[in-house]
Amino acid sequence: MKPKEIITRRAAKLFKDGDVVNLGIGMPTMIMQYIPEDIDVWFDSENGVLGLTAAPENEEDLDFNLVDAGGIPGGIRVGGSTFSSFDSFGLIRGGHVDYTVLGAYEVDQYGSLANWMIPGATCAGMGGAMDLVTGSKNVVVVTTQTNKAGEPKVVKKTILPLTGKRVVTHIITDMAFFRVVPEGLLLEEVAPGVKVEDVLALTDADVIVADDVHEMDLS
């Protein structure tokens, strides 16, 4: 199983019936395809859509007014609605989003997230991420355990510009599932074939290892 599939399959297990979920650009949008059939989730886009679905299979049915956070055309479910950006951010800032799922450049053991720019690199802008991480009930980071240089992305303290301070509740990587708790970073699950020692070796943060660490359910 490829790293992104491991991450997004595990993330899809977090939600329960009726949850309002906002998916960030890129990998988070893959989560849609792995939602269990018995779970009814409402996907939100800060562009002004509640009830967003994957794009129709027939290209003739594509509606380019219905897009996800990355501008990719999608669909809308029965009962879904569209509205202005003003209302969309009212929904977000009002605490009505149950889960926001975002990628990361870095995330630290305190739940602080850096995901919108790298100094000196071209940046498209922060988008709605700062509002989402502040207004959502849960903030889930989905990311590979290391960057392209093999350096840990889960660190003691972020050094990149922050998207939000102490806002992350869950971190899911291709190796592990962490929960951010008041005491720090709690390792609860490992990916198939991965040992706790492997995770610790590629995590530059203080980690509390749960007594009952178990393998991720990726079914």
Side-chain angles (χ1 to χ4, degrees):
M1 195 177 292
K2 294 181 179 180
K4 287 184 179 180
E5 184 177 350
I6 292 172
I7 295 166
T8 52
R9 278 185 177 275
R10 179 58 188 90
K13 299 283 187 181
L14 281 174
F15 316 131
K16 62 182 184 300
D17 268 344
D19 278 345
V20 174
V21 179
N22 186 287
L23 302 177
I25 297 171
M27 185 180 6
T29 61
M30 293 174 57
I31 293 170
M32 274 191 186
Q33 62 188 300
Y34 299 122
I35 300 296
E37 292 184 1
D38 59 341
I39 299 296
D40 186 27
V41 173
W42 287 81
F43 288 107
D44 164 68
S45 170
E46 62 267 33
N47 299 322
V49 184
L50 182 61
L52 190 70
T53 66
E57 293 184 8
N58 188 344
E59 291 188 9
E60 294 180 358
D61 294 330
L62 285 177
D63 184 344
F64 289 90
N65 292 307
L66 289 171
V67 295
D68 64 20
I72 306 301
I76 190 167
R77 60 179 288 176
V78 173
S81 60
T82 61
F83 34 84
S84 69
S85 291
F86 179 88
D87 290 321
S88 177
F89 279 88
L91 182 148
I92 292 166
R93 295 169 184 168
H96 303 292
V97 175
D98 295 292
Y99 286 89
T100 283
V101 187
L102 298 168
Y105 294 130
E106 285 182 342
V107 58
D108 72 23
Q109 65 192 44
Y110 308 105
S112 296
L113 170 65
N115 88 328
W116 74 279
M117 74 169 295
I118 295 177
T122 301
C123 174
M126 66 187 70
M130 292 184 179
D131 293 273
L132 283 161
V133 299
T134 302
S136 299
K137 297 173 185 175
N138 297 277
V139 177
V140 182
V141 165
V142 292
T143 182
T144 51
Q145 189 75 27
T146 61
N147 60 25
K148 292 180 180 179
E151 302 164 331
K153 296 178 76 174
V154 182
V155 297
K156 284 182 185 252
K157 186 173 177 60
T158 54
I159 60 172
L160 295 175
L162 287 182
T163 308
K165 185 176 182 179
R166 296 177 181 259
V167 292
V168 176
T169 54
H170 308 75
I171 303 169
I172 304 173
T173 77
D174 52 325
M175 296 182 70
F177 176 96
F178 300 94
R179 192 181 303 272
V180 182
V181 297
E183 298 77 23
L185 201 59
L186 180 65
L187 173 62
E188 294 187 339
E189 302 174 22
V190 292
V194 174
K195 298 178 181 178
V196 170
E197 293 76 16
D198 301 330
V199 176
L200 297 180
L202 292 174
T203 306
D204 185 24
D206 298 326
V207 176
I208 304 164
V209 180
D211 295 333
D212 59 344
V213 174
H214 53 279
E215 187 175 287
M216 291 180 186
D217 177 7
L218 303 177
S219 60

